[in-house]
Amino acid sequence: MDKNLHADLTPEELNQPEPWTGINAYRSDPLLVDISSSMPRAIREEFELVGRYATSHEAQELARMANQGTPKLRTHGPRGERLDVVDFHPAWHALMRRSVASGLASSIWEDKEDEKGLAHQARAIRFFLTAQLECGHLCPLTMTSASVAAIKSNPGLLRGWLPKITARRYDSNNRPAQDKPGVTIGMGMTEKQGGTDVRANRSVADKVSEGIYRLNGHKWFMSAPMSDAFVMLAQTREGIGCFLVPRLLEDGSRNGLRFQRLKDKIGNRSNASSEVEFSDTYGFLLGDPEHGIRTILEMVTLTRLDCALASAGIMRAALAEAIHHIRGRSVFGKELIDQPIMTRVVADMALDVAAASALVFRLASAFDNAGASEEERAYQRVMTPVIKYWVCKLAPALIYEAMECLGGSGYVEERPMARHYREAPVNAIWEGSGNVMALDLLRVLTRHRDQFDMVFNMLERDLGPSGGKMVDVLRAAAALCERDEGSARFLAEQMALAAGAAELMRLGAGRVADAFLETRLAGGWRSTYGMLDSRFDARFIVDLLYPAVGQ
């Protein structure tokens, strides 16, 4: 037998590029660089550091280990005593430590001088880049950051908790919050019998003294169970109230929370999600006792932005890996990137990723400016459900198509692609599923039509010559929804496509914007990627949005 049959192949014979590591995720994304070009240099330098770290071999190994070494629940100790603790892999703690230090759990509340008017946008870029590394650990950071919006309704609590939230210190020790330099906050809304319908919640809260209640009940889905406190809903005498519930009391004893089990999730596996029961559990009232849903929705609005950011981030990472692969692999005598049908597939995908990325950063800008502009406030309110709906729903199909570009080697656990694919569905489900987002859009249409009109006017302006006709279509869709609630998804998707095209045009994306507009809003029926025709320069689109780097 020829011994050379078992010899290692040379790089040329292997016909596969090096893994997608060591490539700066920020610097290799021209659209992101352009969007951030007017930000202060110090902020852009931070993006460079995050982008370099996200694709480093060290960080990728942490992500792999955190997802393979999944969390373990310990309900009881050796004497039969309740413990109710979850053990995480050390890699999880390493990821948490770095992301907390970079401000993902706090920066929008820190009032930093160099981020004035840019706090949401700057954090959004760091979050988007970090999502390309690992999304599971971002869940508690999202909830911690967003929780301040609810905690603000109780100024006394805010004074005690905000300094620890904004300390940028991660402390995983199992001790009371007041003994820690920094804290994380989780959230518990849904129950077995109600799910999204939180008005059907049966957990109850009995008043003990002014602002302090005792809670009894359960939560069906409570992620990051080792958080230092949780924002939770429960029925009061007046209605549904919102509460901040510490996990441990000041003396270090458990606050009545009994974790029943951890969810065996399809993805998001580095992060623990629990089912919990609680009795005689102390909580601090946030807002009015009958307006808990209104209070927690201030928090949920921020988490929806993060869902869209994470989905856009993992789509960018998946497609970048796919394009890197097809540039370094030859089939049928050509590099895959030069095969016309492959070029059109990835160019078609690149249009969606570009529009999704542009939209999530446009939404972050609206969050920054909503306090100073009625137009921006309208964009924030109307477009949050629209963008969350479309971007998060886009991810599973797009990431699958990126996986197919790699062929059989894409369908293995050794690549980040597998983690991205398993992660992809969750952001469309959590913090409001597609139907919930579409119905939320109808709620704005019914109650705040003036905000809809403002957004339509903005889209018409940014779309240019085609704006008038496109907005006429959107107005007709809105009128249909007023008669037929079941048409809400149609309105949400059409608004997302129009807004994506408008933002690409506003950014001066030229041929990319034209191709997106023509194929998404003026083209024929399509259900898969690769439907670009020869009018569009597919190779130009790919090379512009995903410039070649060293193979």
Side-chain angles (χ1 to χ4, degrees), residues 120-414:
H120 283 281
Q121 296 165 79
R123 178 185 175 275
I125 291 176
R126 294 195 300 270
F127 195 94
F128 173 86
L129 292 169
T130 307
Q132 298 182 43
L133 167 62
E134 205 281 326
C135 284
H137 82 289
L138 292 179
C139 176
L141 304 184
T142 286
M143 292 188 293
T144 301
S145 177
S147 70
V148 177
I151 298 172
K152 282 198 305 180
S153 62
N154 186 324
L157 280 181
L158 185 69
R159 283 192 295 271
W161 286 85
L162 185 60
K164 292 182 181 292
I165 290 172
T166 58
R168 297 198 181 196
R169 299 278 300 278
Y170 175 62
D171 185 344
S172 62
N173 290 302
N174 190 33
R175 56 184 179 181
Q178 74 268 13
D179 296 337
K180 290 186 171 189
V183 297
T184 57
I185 311 291
M187 178 168 59
M189 291 181 65
T190 60
E191 298 181 3
K192 296 174 185 177
Q193 74 286 345
T196 298
D197 183 9
V198 294
R199 294 187 186 278
N201 282 7
R202 296 177 182 173
S203 296
V204 296
D206 297 313
K207 188 172 182 179
V208 176
S209 61
E210 191 61 36
I212 301 176
Y213 285 68
R214 186 179 286 121
L215 281 65
N216 291 274
H218 83 279
K219 295 298 170 186
W220 179 232
F221 219 108
M222 194 167 77
S223 286
M226 290 303 286
S227 297
D228 297 290
F230 306 92
V231 178
M232 296 173 65
L233 296 177
Q235 295 279 359
T236 69
R237 284 188 176 183
E238 295 84 357
I240 293 181
C242 184
F243 302 89
L244 184 67
V245 178
R247 185 170 58 82
L248 298 177
L249 298 175
E250 292 184 358
D251 62 1
S253 61
R254 295 166 39 257
N255 187 20
L257 297 167
R258 301 184 303 278
F259 301 130
Q260 302 302 297
R261 64 172 179 168
L262 300 184
K263 301 285 191 181
D264 188 8
K265 295 174 294 183
I266 293 171
N268 200 256
R269 295 186 66 81
S270 67
N271 175 38
S273 299
S274 68
E275 297 171 22
V276 62
E277 295 179 358
F278 44 91
S279 57
D280 293 335
T281 297
Y282 286 97
F284 300 97
L285 182 65
L286 301 175
D288 297 325
E290 71 275 22
H291 292 147
I293 294 177
R294 179 190 302 172
T295 300
I296 206 168
L297 281 177
E298 295 291 325
M299 175 181 180
V300 170
T301 298
L302 289 168
T303 66
R304 288 172 177 171
L305 170 60
D306 277 11
C307 284
L309 285 165
S311 289
I314 59 175
M315 284 193 286
R316 172 74 197 187
L319 186 52
E321 183 179 355
I323 292 174
H324 176 74
H325 177 82
I326 65 175
R327 280 196 174 114
R329 185 166 177 83
S330 296
V331 176
F332 306 133
K334 289 183 180 179
E335 287 188 349
L336 272 172
I337 188 67
D338 294 323
Q339 298 283 0
I341 195 166
M342 177 62 83
T343 312
R344 291 190 189 184
V345 167
V346 293
D348 204 7
M349 295 159 69
L351 294 177
D352 273 349
V353 177
S357 301
L359 278 177
V360 294
F361 297 123
R362 173 65 182 90
L363 184 58
S365 174
F367 273 80
D368 275 325
N369 297 301
S373 163
E374 283 194 20
E375 276 195 344
E376 293 301 294
R377 186 159 53 252
Y379 194 97
Q380 176 199 22
R381 180 63 187 95
V382 173
M383 295 306 296
T384 295
V386 168
I387 292 171
K388 201 270 190 186
Y389 174 91
W390 184 70
V391 174
C392 295
K393 282 199 168 297
L394 199 61
L398 188 140
I399 294 172
Y400 156 71
E401 195 74 58
M403 181 186 292
E404 188 174 309
C405 292
L406 275 67
S409 69
Y411 193 63
V412 295
E413 287 290 345
E414 289 90 342

